[in-house]
Amino acid sequence: MSKPVKILMVGAGGQGKGHSARYQQMPGVEVVAAVDVQAELLAAFAKEYKIPNTFSSVEEAIAWGQFDAVSNVTPDRFHYPTTLPLLAAGKHVLCEKPLATNAADAVKMAEAAAKAGVVNAVNFSYRSGGAMQKAAELVRSGLIGEVRFFEASYLQSWLHQPAWGEWTTTPQWLWRLSSAHGSKGALGDVGVHIVDFATYVMDLPVADVSCRFALHNKAPGNKIGEYVLDANDSATMQVSLANGALGTISQTRVASGHLNDLRLKAYGTKGALEVSTSGELGTLTACLEADLEKPKWQSIEVAPVTDNQARFIAAIRGEDGPRAPDFARGAEIQKVLDAAEESAAQRGITINL
């Protein structure tokens, strides 16, 4: 058997727990060390996942050096400064989304990864859905013809209910509402997923985007403790794709009745499909050319696919198979988000007090 792939976790928060648990399910993969600036959090994390080595900085971990690859699960604003030295050290890196908080930094990260010649991946986690991958396969086969119009949305409601905890008292959620703490609001937090989801399935890049933001009053003066709640709660985009197709992409934290739902409807010259993340595999339905006059929609069977962590490890081992989205893809998506943010800034934010 080949030698184990040794993983360094950078970040000991909630995302770190998910990544560590996943790696520990994989044969021949060992989580050997973890980094975090919060000593108590790091100690508890290392104890829970039986991680033998801990460091207070990436630089300390690099000096130690006894790891092959990294999962960077730090908050968004730390992805850029923590990933660059790891790439320079020749380490493979899987970075949480978004790759960076602006396109300029994301491009530098993609260029650094290419120069280092290492495996690099962005954890667009919904790529692990069987329905999404099957939908992409059908579009590429020409089954629905050329896409002419689409509707995409990412709907959450954690500002309206406590299914994931009480956001008003939890830093894990409060920072996501504050630009001073690195948040880009719903656009940056979940928009990054739905832009990737939609454009990957349709196999078309974004050519042009216009965007509007909405911000709702959630506390007196929209402030809780040190957190100024000024990041957008909802964003809607009108998007033109490279082939001239027009569509909408929406993302929000106030969609009551939806905990965490991604949906895409793509309408082509020969048919249409709808894909969602509902259920373990997601669901996929289609109205194909022979059924357009009725119209009749049918369910499409989907199968499990490998997740990004498994694809990352397989790439490190040089195995054949599908790859996780890379840093170049992360930079491409960040350019769309930057353009949307610039568009919204020109129009001003809608504030509902």
Side-chain angles (χ1 to χ4, degrees), residues 208-347:
D208 181 70
V209 58
S210 62
C211 182
R212 293 295 301 264
F213 287 162
L215 173 66
H216 302 281
N217 188 33
K218 299 176 287 296
N222 249 344
K223 184 177 182 181
I224 296 177
E226 65 179 284
Y227 299 93
V228 177
L229 312 181
D230 61 344
N232 61 86
D233 298 319
S234 302
T236 60
M237 291 183 268
Q238 286 190 315
V239 175
S240 296
L241 302 180
N243 73 336
L246 184 66
T248 59
I249 301 179
S250 305
Q251 45 269 298
T252 186
R253 295 159 169 170
V254 297
S256 298
H258 295 274
L259 288 183
N260 197 57
D261 297 333
L262 286 79
R263 295 178 177 177
L264 168 67
K265 286 187 176 182
Y267 306 96
T269 54
K270 295 181 180 180
L273 58 79
E274 180 176 5
V275 57
S276 81
T277 56
S278 301
E280 185 175 347
L281 297 177
T283 61
L284 176 61
T285 58
C287 182
L288 303 179
E289 193 167 19
D291 297 322
L292 290 179
E293 290 186 32
K294 299 180 181 58
K296 178 183 176 183
W297 288 74
Q298 59 182 297
S299 295
I300 305 294
E301 186 177 353
V302 298
V305 297
T306 54
D307 58 27
N308 288 327
Q309 283 87 352
R311 294 181 179 195
F312 179 56
I313 296 299
I316 292 170
R317 290 173 171 158
E319 298 172 357
D320 293 332
R323 294 289 185 249
D326 60 12
F327 279 19
R329 175 62 173 176
E332 178 185 350
I333 298 301
Q334 194 58 49
K335 290 177 182 178
V336 176
L337 299 186
D338 278 18
E341 190 172 36
E342 181 179 348
S343 170
Q346 293 173 353
R347 291 165 173 78

Side-chain angles (χ1 to χ4, degrees), residues 80 83-91 93 99 104-120 327-328 331:
Y80 175 74
T83 295
L84 286 182
L86 291 162
L87 295 173
K91 304 300 183 181
V93 180
L99 182 59
D105 286 350
V107 169
K108 290 177 185 177
M109 293 169 73
E111 291 173 346
K115 181 179 179 181
V118 297
V119 176
N120 57 96
F327 279 19

